[in-house]
Amino acid sequence: MTRGKSRSNDGKTRRPIVAPASLLSEIESEVRYTRDYLGKDRLDPRVMSAMARVPRHEFVPAALCPMAYENRPLPIGQDQTISQPYIVAIMSDLAAPGVGAKVLEIGTGCGYQAAVLAEMGAEVYSVERLPELARLAADNLRRTGYGRVHCRQGDGAEGWPEAAPFEAILVTAAAWRRVPPALIAQLAPGGRLVVPVDRGASALLPDQELLLLNKDSDGNLRQKDVLRVAFVPLIESAGEKLG
Ligand code: SAH
């Protein structure tokens, strides 16, 4: 499998399919298996098309390239992981960004989820706390032709106020006990916020639930508890839990 330059993606040109059919069918079968939680038994074809086209092997460390298209999370350095493809797919489906929609991602990691959202045609803003990963993600995104994703290093719990409001916000690290208020404030009316929250029931074991918050046109929130999940923690620079 080669790692190299791809042509630039202007959001209109369809890129070739790079993911093997086995990965796509594993995602589809896990979606069917969890249909009662998701409330659907198949994902938006736009999500599956993006999963098929984003070269995941370009976002994982070179040594893990042979495993890039397995449906599992992988280490990306700094004790962090690239999410499992099924999780990336369902979060993209729940966020449901329209073409041209402004989307905020918290936890850029290696940049893979941001690339999937960009491949769906969203205008993506992504914040990463760790400088090494923020740099890695910006490099990966540029190299793979997703250089139009806006990347920033900082505490994502504060959102990206200058670019708000966002039609969708995805948090790819688990918030402690509550959704960061700045993110709720930066969600546009009619928007969707997808976020894992650790309810903190146990001091030893994670107790995380993926939440979908819908903000209606009057600014009222409706919450759906989607699925139990396992994310690395969201480390907020100010807040109830530091580290
Ligand atoms: N979306 C990533 C997966 C990221 S793992 C991908 O597709 O690869 C979660 C990421 O959240 C880690 O990189 C971690 O450093 C980052 N993170 C944790 N707390 C954060 C915070 N407060 N603000 C921004 N990023 C944070």
Side-chain angles (χ1 to χ4, degrees):
M1 195 160 279
T2 55
R3 291 162 62 84
K5 286 195 188 309
S6 314
R7 66 194 159 77
S8 111
N9 181 8
D10 57 10
K12 298 183 193 97
T13 332
R14 271 206 142 189
R15 300 166 60 111
I17 289 179
V18 289
S22 57
L23 175 64
L24 303 174
S25 67
E26 271 178 52
I27 295 171
E28 282 166 354
S29 73
E30 197 162 349
V31 166
R32 280 194 300 276
Y33 185 67
T34 51
R35 55 153 72 88
D36 291 346
Y37 301 97
L38 304 176
K40 55 168 72 179
D41 59 13
R42 65 178 54 199
L43 302 183
D44 182 344
R46 293 172 55 237
V47 171
M48 294 310 290
S49 168
M51 296 300 296
R53 289 175 166 79
V54 175
R56 194 169 186 257
H57 66 279
E58 299 275 8
F59 290 85
V60 302
L64 300 179
C65 234
M67 287 180 263
Y69 293 101
E70 291 175 15
N71 187 24
R72 50 181 278 193
L74 292 170
I76 54 171
Q78 312 292 322
D79 284 335
Q80 306 300 327
T81 53
I82 177 173
S83 302
Q84 181 193 7
Y86 158 78
I87 290 288
V88 173
I90 65 167
M91 288 185 75
S92 305
D93 187 272
L94 292 165
V99 173
K102 254 202 230 176
V103 176
L104 175 65
E105 180 201 20
I106 306 306
T108 323
C110 63
Y112 177 69
Q113 169 79 75
V116 169
L117 297 166
E119 183 61 34
M120 290 175 72
E123 185 186 349
V124 185
Y125 292 76
S126 188
V127 186
E128 168 58 48
R129 184 179 76 95
L130 298 174
E132 298 83 354
L133 290 179
R135 266 195 301 276
L136 173 75
D139 285 351
N140 287 344
L141 288 162
R142 210 173 306 119
R143 181 165 37 81
T144 49
Y146 298 103
R148 64 200 165 84
V149 171
H150 308 274
C151 294
R152 164 188 280 191
Q153 189 262 321
D155 180 6
E158 290 164 15
W160 193 319
E162 310 88 292
F166 299 97
E167 188 189 294
I169 301 179
L170 295 87
V171 185
T172 66
W176 181 247
R177 288 203 165 137
R178 53 115 182 82
V179 181
L183 301 183
I184 294 174
Q186 291 171 33
L187 187 64
R192 294 158 299 286
L193 202 171
V194 185
V195 53
V197 172
D198 192 319
R199 295 190 164 127
S202 154
L204 297 173
L205 292 172
D207 172 32
Q208 301 177 11
E209 185 85 27
L210 186 64
L211 309 184
L212 170 64
L213 299 182
N214 281 278
K215 191 186 257 191
D216 70 16
S217 49
D218 296 325
N220 299 316
L221 292 174
R222 191 162 36 89
Q223 176 178 320
K224 184 182 173 209
D225 296 8
V226 181
L227 193 71
R228 289 187 61 91
V229 284
F231 281 84
V232 297
L234 183 79
I235 312 287
E236 301 185 36
S237 32
E240 290 175 60
K241 195 190 189 188
L242 294 171

